Amino acid sequence: MPETLLTDVEQLPILFSRDQIQARVSEMGRQIRQDLCGEPAVLIGVLKGAAIFLADLARSIEVDCTFDFVSASSYQSGTRSSGAVQLIKDLDEPIEGKNILVIEDILDTGVTLNFLYSHFERHKPRSIRIAALLDKPSRRIQPIQADYVGFQIPNEFVVGYGMDYAERYRNLPDIRILTPNAVS
Ligand code: PRP
């Protein structure tokens, strides 16, 4: 467990402020609403990191929608990716014939979303769209792209707005860079 305390959070550099995030999420919502052309959608949040993004994006989309959640883990505790995906929680409701919007906080190696995309495809939805708040294209090892990306970022480990380090920092309103010295 890192020694960094929540009181040290202010020392972590801000990558995107809460205002920047809010503005971008609103833009993404407007674009998604347009693209759905008034059709209903199932918003599928990938737990846990996407919970806060889903909550904000859902209110920006303003279409007839339902929520569902899956949980698939590709990271070990800490900053290292394990490469293997484990489906921990599947969908609650059938998605056959429905428009689905998969909502992720961050698209990194693409291992998680690539796995989930194939999983959802097998259930024959009408359409699959992916919204990722953050995208780290330099880290991609699987050929998957999001239809909607909030921000492209360099290869930094980020926390806040749903994203964690060892389950902490998810509730920070800004997205901050977890600098190596913060966890040493
Ligand atoms: C993070 C993130 C994505 C995934 C992206 O989830 O929320 O689901 O990793 O990484 P990838 O593109 O390299 O697969 P994580 O497994 O850390 O779980 P969490 O959302 O509960 O923090």
Side-chain angles (χ1 to χ4, degrees):
M1 194 67 182
E3 293 303 315
T4 310
L5 302 172
L6 280 172
T7 48
D8 297 329
V9 154
E10 296 298 323
Q11 291 171 18
L12 301 177
I14 291 179
L15 185 59
F16 300 110
S17 70
R18 62 200 80 185
D19 291 344
Q20 288 174 298
I21 297 166
Q22 186 185 33
R24 186 69 188 113
V25 171
S26 296
E27 283 175 4
M28 294 174 81
R30 278 195 294 275
Q31 183 65 56
I32 293 166
R33 181 171 66 235
Q34 273 182 22
D35 293 351
L36 282 168
C37 299
E39 293 187 12
V42 183
L43 309 190
I44 302 175
V46 184
L47 295 171
K48 302 172 190 167
I52 292 176
F53 179 40
L54 182 144
D56 285 346
L57 187 64
R59 285 175 286 184
S60 298
I61 292 175
E62 296 174 3
V63 296
D64 180 12
C65 68
T66 57
F67 292 179
D68 209 336
F69 294 92
V70 293
S71 181
S73 181
S74 68
Y75 276 15
Q76 296 172 348
S77 184
T79 58
R80 200 157 53 89
S81 177
S82 71
V85 181
Q86 191 184 2
L87 189 64
I88 298 166
K89 182 207 168 296
D90 205 346
L91 296 167
D92 290 333
E93 301 291 335
I95 54 170
E96 185 170 345
K98 299 181 177 174
N99 297 306
I100 67 168
L101 178 69
V102 185
I103 300 178
E104 262 288 23
D105 51 338
I106 186 163
L107 179 49
D108 188 341
T109 63
V111 169
T112 305
L113 267 180
N114 196 57
F115 169 86
L116 288 174
Y117 194 96
S118 302
H119 178 66
F120 296 143
E121 233 180 2
R122 283 195 288 275
H123 292 277
K124 300 185 169 41
R126 173 172 161 77
S127 66
I128 307 179
R129 293 178 172 85
I130 296 172
L133 180 64
L134 303 182
D135 185 10
K136 275 187 192 175
S138 64
R139 291 258 306 160
R140 198 80 84 254
I141 60 173
Q142 295 281 353
I144 185 111
Q145 291 184 354
D147 301 279
Y148 309 97
V149 171
F151 305 99
Q152 284 200 349
I153 65 167
N155 187 20
E156 300 279 6
F157 196 92
V158 291
V159 295
Y161 199 73
M163 289 167 281
D164 73 310
Y165 174 80
E167 296 300 328
R168 299 169 66 210
Y169 306 114
R170 292 192 196 273
N171 62 327
L172 305 182
D174 307 301
I175 294 175
R176 293 175 183 264
I177 296 173
L178 193 69
T179 49
N181 61 349
V183 292
S184 59

